[in-house]
Amino acid sequence: MISEPDGQIQHVYFPLNSFVSLIAQLSGRERLEVTMVGSEGMLGMPLILGLDESPLRALVQGAGPALRMPAADFGQHLAQSPALQALLKRYLYVLMHQLSQVAACTHFHHVEARLARWLLMTQDRAHSDHLHLTHAFLATMLGVRRAGITLAAMALQARGLIRYHRGDITVLDRTRLIEAACGCYAADCRLYRRVITEGGAV
């Protein structure tokens, strides 16, 4: 656990070959992953807005190296670099889009399509076709019952898109998995490419 909701941000993190789930939690035990951060982004974005408090829980989902900087040092670099400010504001826009997309996706799209999208997002950040994710963990991340994850994973496996055994998932056919995912995955990729990679207009 890197941070808890309403906790003070002590450091910013730039994952390299690791990735972190940002999780919203209600007053009870209900939890839902609202976005994921890997080598494409950073943790500690409220500092861009002049706030040192995190609204979400940050849980390391894929262990690996990351760069870390004290929040105070990051603030100094941010104040001295308009280029860094501009890039991180663009990334903040991408995160805002992902948050709204997850809200709509969770409400309107079927579990199988959402699972396919989530596996693709995880694969992108893990830089690997092999993932270790239990049904219980996937159910928590997607905000559904474990039985729903089991049925969705079985359906994807029956179509030859993944192989799943005792928490070990291997992506067998990425192209067809993209086709099985809801359109949210392709929309996220297009937005990141336009706003961050190509530096297009927001």
Side-chain angles (χ1 to χ4, degrees), residues 129-141:
D129 295 336
H130 304 287
L131 312 169
H132 185 75
L133 305 161
T134 65
H135 278 192
F137 182 79
L138 289 169
T140 298
M141 293 300 98

Side-chain angles (χ1 to χ4, degrees), residues 37-160:
V37 178
S39 57
E40 85 294 344
M42 65 162 284
L43 292 166
M45 290 303 292
L47 296 173
I48 308 299
L49 304 174
L51 303 170
D52 65 355
E53 182 177 289
S54 174
L56 301 168
R57 170 172 291 167
L59 173 67
V60 176
Q61 183 192 129
L67 303 177
R68 188 178 81 164
M69 178 186 292
D73 293 348
F74 175 75
Q76 292 178 4
H77 285 290
L78 194 63
Q80 296 168 4
S81 176
L84 179 61
Q85 291 179 37
L87 179 59
L88 291 179
K89 285 178 181 178
R90 287 177 174 274
Y91 179 60
L92 180 58
Y93 175 79
V94 170
L95 280 182
M96 290 169 57
H97 178 273
Q98 289 177 349
L99 291 171
S100 62
Q101 195 87 1
V102 165
C105 182
T106 301
H107 183 75
F108 291 110
H109 294 156
H110 295 297
V111 175
E112 184 179 330
R114 290 171 53 208
L115 176 59
R117 175 200 182 198
W118 196 88
L119 291 175
L120 289 164
M121 292 174 60
T122 305
Q123 183 190 27
D124 289 344
R125 289 156 178 82
H127 306 291
S128 173
D129 295 336
H130 304 287
L131 312 169
H132 185 75
L133 305 161
T134 65
H135 278 192
F137 182 79
L138 289 169
T140 298
M141 293 300 98
L142 293 176
V144 298
R145 297 178 63 183
R146 183 173 175 176
I149 292 294
T150 300
L151 292 175
M154 289 174 60
L156 294 176
Q157 181 166 257
R159 294 165 62 183

